[in-house]
């Protein structure tokens, strides 16, 4: 692991910025943003969805740009552009314009994310790849921890523009990361990957691809709803303050720091699909806890279970892509499954917001997501019975 420390740290910082502060911190500012813009939950969900739509579009450019430019230059540019698009969000009170600018943030985050995940899969050897990917994706957890404290602090300090102030801090963090991540990214990493070709039978007509895609699609739909509306649901259901909800959010983020490396290490020993059984069981409990009328202390259970398991899924999916397919094609396969993941991810917040505005309750929303994750527990068990023949 030691020869790869610099690359792992750099990748950690990239995920911290492009996904952690660029996407997952949004759930923490959403209640105040919704109040500030005076919009419905459906409209608030549309803002979250716009980011995921931008991410979806960015996927189609990721492979081409990854092959055309060196990783360090591509990451530097896209993170700076993402920070700029996030900054533009605070200059308007029109939720359509906020959504428009946030879609560009999602676009650039997709390119940074796929580029760094493909880069690390090429740089890190197979025997420690699961652990390395686990460390990298835990960066999102650190961002959640920090946002859970930054947002309530700015809300008390700057009462007139609380969400805008917190969002500006996140933009500045992205700018800093764009510079500080550069030394750890190798200048001549392997960029030999294939173009995306939707007629490629080796993907569309193989069970291996669709098995990976299924578990990732369910994750895309369920997690996008949870991270977008967790804080809003807790505030509405238990009438908690932003500070208390931020503490739950911080706990969730703290636990998620360990999720990737914990389950990545387990996957290196028992296999990815067997690991997914336990991961999705924890996800089911986390979602179900928000679906029922339980005592307020149950929120601790939901936050802990969701956090400890959530970021293991992207790393496990990346691991499966690199094991079931040749490592030189990891970016291509990962891009394919991420496209399907992104479609479900994009619909999640908008559908959840619509259901909430109809039922006036988040319980029905989380009942649906817990049912989907429970199905995936059984599906992962079935998939674990199939033998994987490594192609790396």
């Amino acid at each position: 692991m030691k020869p790869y420390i610099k690359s792992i740290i750099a990748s950690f910082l990239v995920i911290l910025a492009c996904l952690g502060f660029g996407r997952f911190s949004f759930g923490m500012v959403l209640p105040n943003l919704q109040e500030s813009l005076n919009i419905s939950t459906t409209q608030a969900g549309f803002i979250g969805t716009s980011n995921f739509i931008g991410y979806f579009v960015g996927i189609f450019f990721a492979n081409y740009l990854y092959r055309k430019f060196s990783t360090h230059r591509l990451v530097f540019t896209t993170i700076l552009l993402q920070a700029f698009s996030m900054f533009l969000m605070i200059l308007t009170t029109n939720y359509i314009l906020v959504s428009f600018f946030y879609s560009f943030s999602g676009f650039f985050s997709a390119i940074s994310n796929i580029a760094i995940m493909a880069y690390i899969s090429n740089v890190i050897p197979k025997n420690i790849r699961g652990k390395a990917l686990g460390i990298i994706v835990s960066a999102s957890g650190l961002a959640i921890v920090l946002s859970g404290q930054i947002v309530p602090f700015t809300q008390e300090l700057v009462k007139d523009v609380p969400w805008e102030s917190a969002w500006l801090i996140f933009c500045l963090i992205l700018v800093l990361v764009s510079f500080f991540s550069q030394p750890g990214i190798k200048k001549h990493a392997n960029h030999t990957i294939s173009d995306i070709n939707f007629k490629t039978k080796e993907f569309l007509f193989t069970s291996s691809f669709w098995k990976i895609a299924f578990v990732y699609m369910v994750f895309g739909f369920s997690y996008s709803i949870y991270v977008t509306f967790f804080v809003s649901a807790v505030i509405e259901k238990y009438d908690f303050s932003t500070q208390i909800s931020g503490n739950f959010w911080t706990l969730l983020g703290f636990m998620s720091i360990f999720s990737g490396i914990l389950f990545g290490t387990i996957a290196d020993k028992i296999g990815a699909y067997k690991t997914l059984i336990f991961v999705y069981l924890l996800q089911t409990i986390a979602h179900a806890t928000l679906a029922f009328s339980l005592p307020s202390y149950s929120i601790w259970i939901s936050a802990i279970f969701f956090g400890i398991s959530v970021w293991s899924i992207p790393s496990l999916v990346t691991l499966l892509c690199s094991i079931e397919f040749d490592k030189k094609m990891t970016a291509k396969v990962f891009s394919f499954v991420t496209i399907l993941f992104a479609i479900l991810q994009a619909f999640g917040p908008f559908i959840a917001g619509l259901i909430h505005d109809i039922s006036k309750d988040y319980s029905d929303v989380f009942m649906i997501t817990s049912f989907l994750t429970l199905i995936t527990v059984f599906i992962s068990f079935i998939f674990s019975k199939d033998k994987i023949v490594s192609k790396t």
Side-chain angles (χ1 to χ4, degrees):
M1 184 73 78
K2 286 184 179 180
Y4 309 101
I5 290 296
K6 286 186 178 180
S7 293
I8 291 173
I9 292 175
S11 301
F12 181 93
L13 289 174
V14 171
I15 299 300
L16 177 79
C18 73
L19 295 186
F21 285 107
R23 178 190 296 177
F24 301 124
S25 61
F26 178 74
M28 193 64 216
V29 304
L30 181 59
N32 187 261
L33 180 148
Q34 185 175 349
E35 180 182 353
S36 175
L37 300 184
N38 193 26
I39 57 177
S40 67
T41 307
T42 301
Q43 291 170 322
F46 178 76
I47 297 175
T49 285
S50 67
N51 179 263
F52 296 132
I53 291 174
Y55 189 94
F56 173 74
V57 175
I59 293 168
F60 293 91
F61 292 83
N63 261 30
Y64 169 76
L65 294 173
Y66 181 74
R67 294 173 68 248
K68 188 174 180 63
F69 302 100
S70 59
T71 304
H72 70 287
R73 289 178 180 172
L74 182 60
V75 166
F76 177 79
T77 304
T78 51
I79 292 180
L80 278 182
L81 289 172
Q82 184 181 358
F84 180 67
S85 62
M86 289 170 60
F87 172 73
L88 293 176
M89 291 171 62
I90 69 177
L91 301 181
T92 179
T93 57
N94 185 308
Y95 94 93
I96 295 293
L97 286 177
V98 171
S99 302
F100 177 73
F101 293 135
Y102 202 31
S103 68
F104 278 96
S105 173
F107 175 83
F108 294 121
S109 71
I111 297 171
S112 300
N113 180 40
I114 291 176
I116 207 65
M117 294 297 266
Y119 162 80
I120 209 69
S121 294
N122 279 316
V123 171
I124 304 296
K126 176 178 172 292
N127 65 313
I128 59 169
R129 200 178 300 154
K131 185 182 296 184
L133 288 168
I135 293 172
I136 293 163
V137 298
S138 68
S140 294
L142 178 59
I144 291 175
V145 169
L146 296 174
S147 67
Q149 299 304 308
I150 291 173
V151 174
F153 175 77
T154 56
Q155 183 171 328
E156 289 298 319
L157 190 65
V158 190
K159 296 184 182 297
D160 293 334
V161 284
W163 84 265
E164 293 94 335
S165 301
W167 205 242
L168 180 60
I169 293 173
F170 300 155
C171 292
L172 294 174
I173 292 174
L174 261 70
V175 172
L176 291 174
V177 167
S178 67
F179 287 95
F180 284 108
S181 63
Q182 291 300 291
I185 302 177
K186 294 181 179 179
K187 301 298 186 290
H188 304 290
N190 181 11
H191 281 66
T192 308
I193 58 176
S194 303
D195 289 322
I196 295 180
N197 180 358
F198 288 93
K199 296 181 180 180
T200 307
K201 294 182 179 180
E202 62 185 299
F203 296 130
L204 299 184
F205 295 98
T206 59
S207 61
S208 295
F209 170 78
W210 286 107
K211 287 191 295 184
I212 297 171
F214 177 82
V215 297
Y216 210 25
M217 288 164 68
V218 171
F219 176 66
F221 185 78
S222 61
Y223 106 95
S224 66
I225 292 174
Y226 192 101
V227 299
T228 301
F229 292 112
F230 172 81
V231 176
S232 297
V234 169
I235 290 175
E236 179 182 283
K237 196 169 187 178
Y238 297 100
D239 197 27
F240 287 149
S241 67
T242 303
Q243 179 65 56
I244 295 175
S245 300
N247 291 336
F248 286 120
W249 188 247
T250 295
L251 173 65
L252 185 157
F254 176 75
M255 297 304 297
S256 71
I257 292 173
F258 309 102
S259 66
I261 187 170
L262 171 62
F263 288 102
T265 302
I266 293 173
D268 285 338
K269 295 181 179 179
I270 70 171
Y273 282 123
K274 289 181 180 178
T275 305
L276 282 169
I277 297 172
F278 299 104
V279 168
Y280 270 105
L281 182 60
L282 293 173
Q283 287 283 298
T284 299
I285 296 171
H287 285 267
T289 302
L290 295 177
F292 298 101
S293 297
L294 300 174
S296 59
Y297 63 77
S298 65
I299 302 301
W300 295 106
I301 297 174
S302 181
I304 290 171
F305 281 14
F306 183 85
I308 197 63
S309 58
V310 62
W311 306 137
S312 65
I313 298 175
S315 59
L316 290 172
V317 166
T318 306
L319 181 63
L320 282 168
C321 290
S322 65
I323 291 175
E324 296 226 39
F325 298 90
D326 189 277
K327 72 176 183 179
K328 291 182 179 180
M329 304 179 74
T330 298
K332 180 178 181 179
V333 180
F334 185 64
S335 293
F336 262 89
V337 296
T338 302
I339 288 169
L340 298 176
F341 157 87
I343 292 173
L344 272 293
Q345 175 184 247
F347 280 107
F350 178 75
I351 291 175
L354 189 61
I355 293 173
H356 173 270
D357 283 343
I358 292 173
S359 65
K360 304 301 180 183
D361 191 358
Y362 282 105
S363 296
D364 292 340
V365 173
F366 289 106
M367 188 70 73
I368 293 171
T369 54
S370 61
F371 177 71
L372 289 172
T373 53
L374 181 60
I375 290 176
T376 313
V377 171
F378 295 106
I379 294 297
S380 297
F381 175 77
I382 294 172
F383 291 166
S384 70
K385 297 298 180 181
D386 298 331
K387 185 176 181 181
I388 297 177
V389 179
S390 176
K391 294 180 177 66
T392 57

